[in-house]
Amino acid sequence: MNEIKWVEPRPLRQSANAIPFPLDALPSVLRNMAQAISVTTSTDVGMAGTAMLSAVGYCFTGLYRLAGKADHTEPPVLYSIIIAQPSERKSPVMHFIKAPFDSFESKYNKDHREEMYKAQQDVKALEARVKAMEKEDEPDTAAIAKLRVQADNIRNTTPIRIAVDDITPESLVIELSENDSLLMISDEAGMLSNFNGKYNGGIPNLDLLLKSWNGEKYICNRVIRGRTEIPRPYLSVALAGQPYIWDNMMNDTAFRSSGLIARFVPCFAKSNVGNRRYDTAPISKEVRDQYHEFIHQLLKGKKDWNGEETILHLSRHASKEYIDYCNNYIEKEIKESMCCCQDWGGKFHGLILRIACILHCADCCSRGVEPSEESVNHDTLLRAFNIAHYYRYQAIYGFSVNAPDGNIVKADKIIQFIKTKNIKQCLKCYLYHACRCNLFSTAKDFYSALDTLAEYGYIAYEDVTAANNKKAQMVHVNPHI
C-alpha cells in the first residue's frame, strides 16, 4: 500500500466544549464559589456553574416568574444534568453546592421543633372535637366542616424538606404536597429510572416531573391515599451521572416523547483526568462563608414569603432585544443549528427567561433589593443569552449522539476501544472481535460505524492477503487521534 498521508480527522460531531461556561455571567458570590470549586476539584467550571444555577433557582420558585409578554411567563426553574465519566469528581462538586441547603434545613427544623409539635397538637385537638361532634345525636355538619377546614389549614406540622436525593414518584408526591417546592440534587442521576417504571411494572410515572417544571396543578387519585392536589408544585433539578445515563434517556421512548429530555439543560463536562493535581488551592473560608450565608439568606426569605407569585418584567430595552432575538434568530436556528434537537430548541426562548429570572433575583438579593422593585435590565438579559448559548452547544452535542442511524455514537465507541487498546493497525475482523459489546448488535452494525470512521479520516483500509490466502482488509489508525 502506498504511504498514507494522514491529516487531522474531521470531528464526528460538534464538540461539547465549543465554548466555555460563561462564569462571568454569574453574580459575584456564585461566580467566586463556582470558580473555587472548579479549582479545588480540578473539574470543568461548567459542572459547578450548572448545578449552582439550578440550586439557586430553587430559592426563588413560587416567589417570582419572569414575563416575556403579557401571556407568557417562566419560573426560575432549571432541570440540569451533568454528564461526566467515572472519577471526574462529580460527588465533591455536588456536595459543595448542596451543603448550605442541608445545613439550613437541619437548623430550621431544630429551631422550629416546638412550633411543629404545637401545630400537631392543634390538629389532634381539632380532630378530637370533630369526632366528638360526629357522635352527637344531631351533629352540626356546618361546624364540623369548619373545624376540618381549620385543621387542613394548619401548616408546619412536619419538618421542612428542601433537598431530596433518591426518591420515588410516590414519595415525591407526598414531599411536594407538604413543601410546595423541592430541590432534587444528586450525583446519582440513575435515580431517574425510578420515574420510568422501575418500581411500577415498567409503567412510566412522569406526570409530576413534567408539571413541576412549570408549576402546573397536579392531581393524584389513589385508592389507599385518596385524592392529593398540589396547586403549584415546583421542582428544581441538579443531577450528575455517567454518559450511559444520557444514552439511556435519549433512547427511552417515554422520556423523549413526553418532552422530559427537552426540559433538561445538559453539561458534558470537559475532562481534566491525567492533568490533575492533588495540591490545588482549597476553597477559602471567606468564599465558602459568603456562599453559605447568601444561600441561607435566600432560603430564609423563601420560608418567610407568604404572598402570591410576583411577575417580574423586562426593561423596555431588554424587552425589545428579547423580542428581536426570538423573531430573527431563535426560529431560524431551530431549523438549522438545532435541527437535531428541535424539541429542546422549541423551549430555548423560555430557557433564556428562566436564566434571566434567576440572575436578576440573585443580583437584587445580593444588594439587599426586593427583585420586584426593579425590572430585568438589558445587561442581565445579555448574561442570560451567554449562559443559554452555552447550553445550546451542549444540547446540540448531546442530541447529536442520537443520530438516526446511530453511527456517530457507535463510531465514538470504536475510537475509545482503539485508544484504550492502543491499536495502530489491525485486521478488520480482529478489530470487530476486540470491540464487541452490546452497542453492536451485529457485525454489520460495527462495520457500518467503521466505515463512518474511514469517511471522517480516523482510519484507512488496505486490501491484504491473510492466512490461507484469504482476502482481508487491514485497518490503519490515524496517528493524530
Side-chain angles (χ1 to χ4, degrees):
M1 180 179 183
N2 294 329
E3 183 180 351
I4 303 172
K5 295 180 180 180
W6 295 109
V7 295
E8 287 286 344
R10 288 189 294 133
L12 287 171
R13 55 179 175 237
Q14 180 174 324
S15 170
N17 303 305
I19 60 173
F21 182 85
L23 188 62
D24 290 343
L26 297 179
S28 60
V29 64
L30 305 181
R31 177 171 66 246
N32 294 340
M33 186 62 177
Q35 178 66 47
I37 292 173
S38 173
V39 170
T40 192
T41 58
S42 293
T43 55
D44 179 0
V45 73
M47 293 173 67
T50 294
M52 193 174 286
L53 275 172
S54 287
V56 172
Y58 159 80
C59 301
F60 306 115
T61 55
L63 281 65
Y64 307 101
R65 295 179 71 101
L66 176 57
K69 59 178 182 176
D71 56 357
H72 173 218
T73 64
E74 296 283 347
V77 171
L78 287 184
Y79 281 13
S80 66
I81 184 165
I82 298 164
I83 302 298
Q85 295 287 350
S87 78
E88 290 286 357
R89 298 175 177 168
K90 298 182 288 293
S91 296
V93 170
M94 302 301 275
H95 167 76
F96 286 129
I97 291 168
K98 185 183 177 184
F101 294 88
D102 286 340
S103 60
F104 180 90
E105 178 183 304
S106 297
K107 187 177 187 302
Y108 184 93
N109 287 331
K110 182 178 180 181
D111 293 347
H112 291 79
R113 281 183 299 177
E114 183 176 339
E115 178 185 331
M116 292 177 198
Y117 292 145
K118 181 181 182 301
Q120 292 171 8
Q121 292 303 314
D122 289 344
V123 171
K124 288 181 179 179
L126 289 170
E127 290 175 343
R129 289 176 60 187
V130 167
K131 288 183 179 179
M133 293 175 67
E134 288 176 338
K135 292 179 180 179
E136 295 175 358
D137 292 337
E138 295 184 4
D140 186 339
T141 54
I144 291 174
K146 186 176 181 179
L147 291 176
R148 288 190 182 279
V149 171
Q150 289 180 21
D152 289 341
N153 289 337
I154 294 177
R155 306 285 289 180
N156 302 323
T157 60
T158 58
I160 66 164
R161 203 61 199 279
I162 292 176
V164 296
D165 196 330
D166 190 3
I167 192 169
T168 64
E170 292 73 22
S171 296
L172 184 62
V173 171
I174 295 171
E175 293 292 350
L176 274 174
S177 66
E178 294 177 350
N179 296 279
D180 298 326
S181 63
L182 291 170
L183 169 60
M184 181 186 289
I185 181 167
S186 174
D187 59 354
E188 295 295 340
M191 49 86 67
L192 285 174
S193 64
N194 295 348
F195 294 83
N196 202 27
K198 183 177 180 180
Y199 302 110
N200 194 32
I203 301 174
N205 190 351
L206 306 177
D207 288 358
L208 189 51
L209 279 181
L210 297 172
K211 291 180 179 294
S212 298
W213 183 73
N214 201 38
E216 299 173 18
K217 180 187 287 189
Y218 175 81
I219 299 176
C220 175
N221 292 289
R222 294 291 184 269
V223 174
I224 296 177
R225 197 168 61 241
R227 176 187 169 95
T228 300
E229 181 176 323
I230 312 175
R232 203 175 53 198
Y234 283 115
L235 182 67
S236 297
V237 178
L239 301 177
Q242 297 178 26
Y244 80 89
I245 297 291
W246 181 259
D247 292 341
N248 289 346
M249 290 173 66
M250 290 295 296
N251 292 314
D252 188 285
T253 303
F255 278 19
R256 188 71 191 264
S257 61
S258 67
L260 180 61
I261 295 179
R263 286 165 165 79
F264 274 89
V265 290
C267 167
F268 292 87
K270 181 180 179 181
S271 177
N272 292 323
V273 173
N275 299 306
R276 300 180 298 189
R277 294 183 59 87
Y278 178 75
D279 56 343
T280 52
I283 301 173
S284 70
K285 184 177 185 302
E286 179 184 7
V287 169
R288 187 194 300 261
D289 288 349
Q290 286 178 350
Y291 172 65
H292 280 238
E293 288 169 7
F294 184 59
I295 296 300
H296 286 187
Q297 170 198 335
L298 299 183
L299 292 175
K300 184 179 185 303
K302 183 179 177 72
K303 291 307 299 179
D304 293 343
W305 184 270
N306 292 315
E308 292 294 316
E309 275 183 312
T310 298
I311 304 300
L312 305 175
H313 299 276
L314 297 168
S315 68
R316 181 176 297 179
H317 187 190
S319 179
K320 182 179 184 304
E321 181 83 18
Y322 178 72
I323 292 171
D324 288 346
Y325 191 76
C326 288
N327 291 343
N328 301 320
Y329 179 80
I330 293 180
E331 283 301 306
K332 177 173 69 73
E333 290 302 311
I334 290 175
K335 286 288 189 180
E336 295 179 4
S337 67
M338 293 186 280
C339 62
C340 65
C341 54
Q342 289 192 12
D343 48 348
W344 191 92
K347 302 182 187 300
F348 187 62
H349 66 297
L351 174 63
I352 294 170
L353 290 181
R354 288 169 183 250
I355 296 172
C357 185
I358 295 170
L359 296 179
H360 172 78
C361 292
D363 285 339
C364 288
C365 291
S366 68
R367 294 185 284 110
V369 175
E370 162 57 38
S372 61
E373 293 179 2
E374 296 183 358
S375 58
V376 178
N377 61 41
H378 186 251
D379 175 70
T380 301
L381 181 67
L382 293 183
R383 288 155 57 206
F385 281 165
N386 289 338
I387 296 174
H389 269 297
Y390 168 80
Y391 292 123
R392 182 174 71 89
Y393 279 102
Q394 298 289 310
I396 291 170
Y397 171 84
F399 279 74
S400 71
V401 304
N402 199 36
D405 60 5
N407 267 356
I408 297 298
V409 68
K410 293 174 183 177
D412 256 347
K413 191 68 174 179
I414 296 174
I415 291 296
Q416 292 175 28
F417 277 121
I418 288 173
K419 288 181 177 179
T420 301
K421 299 176 184 294
N422 196 28
I423 297 172
K424 304 300 182 184
Q425 63 179 42
C426 181
L427 285 175
K428 194 174 181 180
C429 58
Y430 290 165
L431 186 60
Y432 168 62
H433 290 293
C435 298
R436 289 189 69 171
C437 66
N438 292 335
L439 189 61
F440 307 110
S441 57
T442 65
K444 183 179 179 180
D445 277 348
F446 175 82
Y447 293 135
S448 176
L450 200 62
D451 288 343
T452 299
L453 290 179
E455 177 187 347
Y456 280 73
Y458 287 82
I459 64 168
Y461 295 133
E462 177 189 6
D463 293 328
V464 298
T465 301
N468 300 324
N469 290 320
K470 289 185 177 180
K471 291 183 179 181
Q473 281 189 312
M474 181 70 71
V475 176
H476 296 272
V477 178
N478 190 328
H480 292 289
I481 69 173

